[in-house]
């Protein structure tokens, strides 16, 4: 592991702001590091004529399709030396899971904590939390389990707790806590997978039970439904959250992240959907044509490619399968790639694998 690079990244994340030149310089340094030490990535870049000698802008760093994490070991160090390996849920290709290797969790943790404090805590030091997701003991390879463990450890009060375990939702215990929050006026934060919220809403509807959480409470969902619950249109989902828990849709936050990234995006509530997602200063996004890798014309829909400086050990730029559209200060998510765009994403994966395995 390159300790000097880790130290530089931690200092970069801790800065309040950075310039475009600062971001570009560190992105190019990471690209050079990964080109040297990540063999599949190096072969792919060489095939495209993209080497550290010729790449001068972060926008020109080749984007690696996220499905490549399922087929190749994308790591600058031997995987067995890593502190943690996060794995994808394996929903798109059965049991084939993408793997993201972290030699240290220091960078991932700094990225999460700095960003979460700003976008979710909104100036509060701690709040009582309920988590609708299993803990790290039950899911040691889940990046979301680790993310939520960081949230409860660093921002939760001592009486915060998990309300989903191997037996399922702890609905009775959670209802007691929600009732206490309503009666006491103590703000409460409920965080978890989007599909867990659907299961909870269904359980509460069966009980004909709703709550009115006090001012300062918030809900945070992430990850979509992934076949784990009934599908709910976004507008209806946030209407149901608002009605069930008595918070405004402004206090219903959504986090957009993925195993293949080390940084998350947040919106400022979901009064209207799709909401604008924003990231911190160490991640930048482009909208591209998946076949060419080139930016789409301004105002057009494209596939999101993220350059995440916290991805220091794998690849700094990834190509997602998510369609987005740029806004003045972020982007909106418009769903998964379909039709020609989905075909373009598949061809980008094939292109990467052929080059990397040649």
């Amino acid at each position: 592991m390159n300790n000097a690079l880790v130290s530089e990244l931690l200092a970069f994340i801790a800065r309040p702001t950075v310039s475009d030149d600062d971001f570009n310089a560190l992105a190019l340094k990471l690209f050079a590091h990964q080109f040297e030490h990540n063999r599949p990535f190096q072969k792919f870049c060489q095939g495209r004529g993209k080497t550290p000698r010729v790449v001068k802008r972060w926008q020109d760093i080749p984007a690696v399709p996220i499905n490549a994490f399922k087929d190749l070991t994308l790591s600058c160090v031997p995987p067995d030396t890593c502190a943690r390996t996060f794995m994808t849920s394996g929903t798109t290709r059965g049991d084939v899971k993408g793997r993201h290797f972290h030699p240290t969790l220091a960078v991932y943790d700094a990225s999460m904590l700095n960003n979460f404090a700003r976008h979710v805590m909104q100036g509060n030091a701690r709040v009582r939390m309920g988590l609708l997701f299993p803990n790290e003991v039950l899911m040691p390879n889940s990046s979301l389990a680790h993310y939520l463990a960081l949230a409860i450890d660093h921002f939760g009060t001592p009486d915060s707790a998990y309300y989903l375990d191997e037996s399922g939702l702890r609905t009775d215990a959670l209802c007691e806590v929600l009732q206490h929050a309503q009666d006491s006026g103590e703000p409460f934060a409920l965080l978890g997978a989007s599909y867990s919220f659907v299961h909870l809403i269904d359980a509460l509807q069966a009980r004909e039970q709703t709550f009115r959480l006090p001012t300062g409470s918030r809900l945070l969902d992430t990850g979509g439904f992934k076949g784990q619950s009934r599908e709910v249109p976004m507008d209806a989902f946030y209407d149901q959250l608002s009605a069930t828990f008595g918070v405004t849709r402004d206090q219903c936050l959504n986090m957009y992240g993925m195993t293949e990234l080390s940084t998350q995006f947040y919106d400022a509530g979901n009064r209207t959907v799709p909401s604008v997602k924003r990231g911190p200063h160490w991640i930048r996004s482009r909208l591209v044509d998946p076949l060419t890798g080139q930016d789409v014309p301004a105002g057009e829909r494209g596939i999101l490619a993220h350059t995440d400086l916290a991805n220091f050990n794998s690849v700094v730029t990834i190509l997602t399968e998510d369609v987005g559209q740029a806004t003045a200060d972020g982007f909106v998510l418009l769903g998964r790639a379909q039709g020609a765009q989905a075909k373009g994403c598949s061809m980008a994966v094939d292109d990467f694998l052929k080059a990397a395995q040649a």
Side-chain angles (χ1 to χ4, degrees), residues 116 120-121 126-132 151-152 155-157 160-161 163 174 177-178 181 186-192 197 213-214 216-220 247 251 253:
F116 190 93
V120 181
M121 297 307 294
R126 290 186 179 267
V127 65
R128 188 172 185 178
M129 290 182 177
L131 301 192
L132 300 177
I152 200 170
F155 301 108
T157 56
S160 299
Y163 292 95
L174 182 54
V177 171
L178 292 168
E186 175 192 358
F188 188 76
L190 200 54
L191 298 78
F197 277 98
L213 292 176
S217 298
R218 68 215 67 168
L219 311 180
L220 175 73
V247 297
Q251 291 305 110
L253 311 179

Side-chain angles (χ1 to χ4, degrees), residues 172-244:
D172 290 341
L174 182 54
C175 283
E176 286 186 24
V177 171
L178 292 168
Q179 189 64 53
H180 171 78
Q182 177 176 302
D183 295 343
S184 67
E186 175 192 358
F188 188 76
L190 200 54
L191 298 78
S194 310
Y195 58 78
S196 298
F197 277 98
V198 175
H199 291 309
L200 178 58
I201 289 169
D202 289 346
L204 294 177
Q205 284 181 344
R207 294 171 174 234
E208 297 183 344
Q209 193 164 9
T210 60
F211 298 92
R212 295 206 63 79
L213 292 176
T215 301
S217 298
R218 68 215 67 168
L219 311 180
L220 175 73
D221 80 284
T222 187
F225 308 112
K226 297 181 177 177
Q228 300 288 326
S229 70
R230 59 186 171 88
E231 292 283 331
V232 185
M234 282 294 99
D235 239 353
F237 177 65
Y238 290 111
D239 275 346
Q240 290 173 19
L241 285 181
S242 179
T244 303

